[in-house]
PDB file of all heavy atoms in Angstrom:
ATOM      1  N   GLY Z 270      31.705 -60.303  29.150  1.00  0.00           N
ATOM      2  CA  GLY Z 270      30.912 -59.074  29.016  1.00  0.00           C
ATOM      3  C   GLY Z 270      29.584 -59.313  28.320  1.00  0.00           C
ATOM      4  O   GLY Z 270      28.603 -58.607  28.575  1.00  0.00           O
ATOM      5  N   PRO Z 298      43.685 -77.084  37.684  1.00  0.00           N
ATOM      6  CA  PRO Z 298      43.725 -78.486  38.156  1.00  0.00           C
ATOM      7  C   PRO Z 298      44.349 -78.580  39.552  1.00  0.00           C
ATOM      8  O   PRO Z 298      43.870 -79.322  40.408  1.00  0.00           O
ATOM      9  CB  PRO Z 298      44.609 -79.172  37.110  1.00  0.00           C
ATOM     10  CG  PRO Z 298      44.607 -78.271  35.926  1.00  0.00           C
ATOM     11  CD  PRO Z 298      44.405 -76.891  36.426  1.00  0.00           C
ATOM     12  N   TYR Z 312      32.158 -73.710  41.859  1.00  0.00           N
ATOM     13  CA  TYR Z 312      31.425 -74.030  40.626  1.00  0.00           C
ATOM     14  C   TYR Z 312      29.940 -74.253  40.893  1.00  0.00           C
ATOM     15  O   TYR Z 312      29.091 -73.968  40.043  1.00  0.00           O
ATOM     16  CB  TYR Z 312      32.076 -75.208  39.908  1.00  0.00           C
ATOM     17  CG  TYR Z 312      33.292 -74.745  39.134  1.00  0.00           C
ATOM     18  CD1 TYR Z 312      34.579 -74.925  39.635  1.00  0.00           C
ATOM     19  CD2 TYR Z 312      33.130 -74.063  37.930  1.00  0.00           C
ATOM     20  CE1 TYR Z 312      35.686 -74.440  38.940  1.00  0.00           C
ATOM     21  CE2 TYR Z 312      34.232 -73.581  37.233  1.00  0.00           C
ATOM     22  CZ  TYR Z 312      35.513 -73.777  37.743  1.00  0.00           C
ATOM     23  OH  TYR Z 312      36.591 -73.272  37.061  1.00  0.00           O
ATOM     24  N   ARG Z 316      27.209 -72.362  38.820  1.00  0.00           N
ATOM     25  CA  ARG Z 316      26.117 -73.098  38.153  1.00  0.00           C
ATOM     26  C   ARG Z 316      24.782 -72.494  38.575  1.00  0.00           C
ATOM     27  O   ARG Z 316      23.903 -72.229  37.758  1.00  0.00           O
ATOM     28  CB  ARG Z 316      26.170 -74.589  38.512  1.00  0.00           C
ATOM     29  CG  ARG Z 316      27.215 -75.402  37.781  1.00  0.00           C
ATOM     30  CD  ARG Z 316      27.400 -76.794  38.392  1.00  0.00           C
ATOM     31  NE  ARG Z 316      26.171 -77.570  38.497  1.00  0.00           N
ATOM     32  CZ  ARG Z 316      25.761 -78.450  37.575  1.00  0.00           C
ATOM     33  NH1 ARG Z 316      26.461 -78.636  36.478  1.00  0.00           N
ATOM     34  NH2 ARG Z 316      24.640 -79.144  37.737  1.00  0.00           N
ATOM     35  N   CYS Z 459      31.896 -95.323  37.166  1.00  0.00           N
ATOM     36  CA  CYS Z 459      32.936 -96.121  37.825  1.00  0.00           C
ATOM     37  C   CYS Z 459      32.719 -96.123  39.343  1.00  0.00           C
ATOM     38  O   CYS Z 459      33.426 -96.806  40.074  1.00  0.00           O
ATOM     39  CB  CYS Z 459      34.325 -95.575  37.484  1.00  0.00           C
ATOM     40  SG  CYS Z 459      34.669 -93.965  38.213  1.00  0.00           S
ATOM     41  N   THR Z 461      33.614 -94.615  41.708  1.00  0.00           N
ATOM     42  CA  THR Z 461      34.671 -94.158  42.629  1.00  0.00           C
ATOM     43  C   THR Z 461      35.209 -92.789  42.235  1.00  0.00           C
ATOM     44  O   THR Z 461      35.504 -91.962  43.078  1.00  0.00           O
ATOM     45  CB  THR Z 461      35.861 -95.148  42.582  1.00  0.00           C
ATOM     46  OG1 THR Z 461      36.241 -95.273  41.197  1.00  0.00           O
ATOM     47  CG2 THR Z 461      35.468 -96.505  43.123  1.00  0.00           C
ATOM     48  N   PHE Z 477      40.541 -80.600  21.630  1.00  0.00           N
ATOM     49  CA  PHE Z 477      41.134 -80.610  20.287  1.00  0.00           C
ATOM     50  C   PHE Z 477      40.050 -80.515  19.224  1.00  0.00           C
ATOM     51  O   PHE Z 477      40.198 -79.805  18.226  1.00  0.00           O
ATOM     52  CB  PHE Z 477      41.981 -81.867  20.097  1.00  0.00           C
ATOM     53  CG  PHE Z 477      43.188 -81.895  21.014  1.00  0.00           C
ATOM     54  CD1 PHE Z 477      43.414 -82.952  21.878  1.00  0.00           C
ATOM     55  CD2 PHE Z 477      44.074 -80.808  21.033  1.00  0.00           C
ATOM     56  CE1 PHE Z 477      44.510 -82.953  22.743  1.00  0.00           C
ATOM     57  CE2 PHE Z 477      45.169 -80.795  21.907  1.00  0.00           C
ATOM     58  CZ  PHE Z 477      45.383 -81.873  22.753  1.00  0.00           C
ATOM     59  N   LEU Z 494      35.001 -60.670   8.641  1.00  0.00           N
ATOM     60  CA  LEU Z 494      34.682 -59.823   9.788  1.00  0.00           C
ATOM     61  C   LEU Z 494      34.702 -60.639  11.070  1.00  0.00           C
ATOM     62  O   LEU Z 494      34.163 -61.754  11.104  1.00  0.00           O
ATOM     63  CB  LEU Z 494      33.276 -59.220   9.615  1.00  0.00           C
ATOM     64  CG  LEU Z 494      32.683 -58.434  10.797  1.00  0.00           C
ATOM     65  CD1 LEU Z 494      33.482 -57.156  11.056  1.00  0.00           C
ATOM     66  CD2 LEU Z 494      31.208 -58.104  10.535  1.00  0.00           C
ATOM     67  N   LEU Z 554      20.707 -57.606   9.121  1.00  0.00           N
ATOM     68  CA  LEU Z 554      20.740 -59.049   8.822  1.00  0.00           C
ATOM     69  C   LEU Z 554      19.683 -59.808   9.612  1.00  0.00           C
ATOM     70  O   LEU Z 554      19.034 -60.716   9.105  1.00  0.00           O
ATOM     71  CB  LEU Z 554      22.122 -59.612   9.139  1.00  0.00           C
ATOM     72  CG  LEU Z 554      23.310 -59.045   8.356  1.00  0.00           C
ATOM     73  CD1 LEU Z 554      24.612 -59.691   8.818  1.00  0.00           C
ATOM     74  CD2 LEU Z 554      23.110 -59.248   6.857  1.00  0.00           C
TER      75      LEU Z 554
END
Side-chain angles (χ1 to χ4, degrees):
Y312 281 100
R316 282 168 55 94
C459 69
T461 54
F477 295 124
L494 173 66
L554 298 179

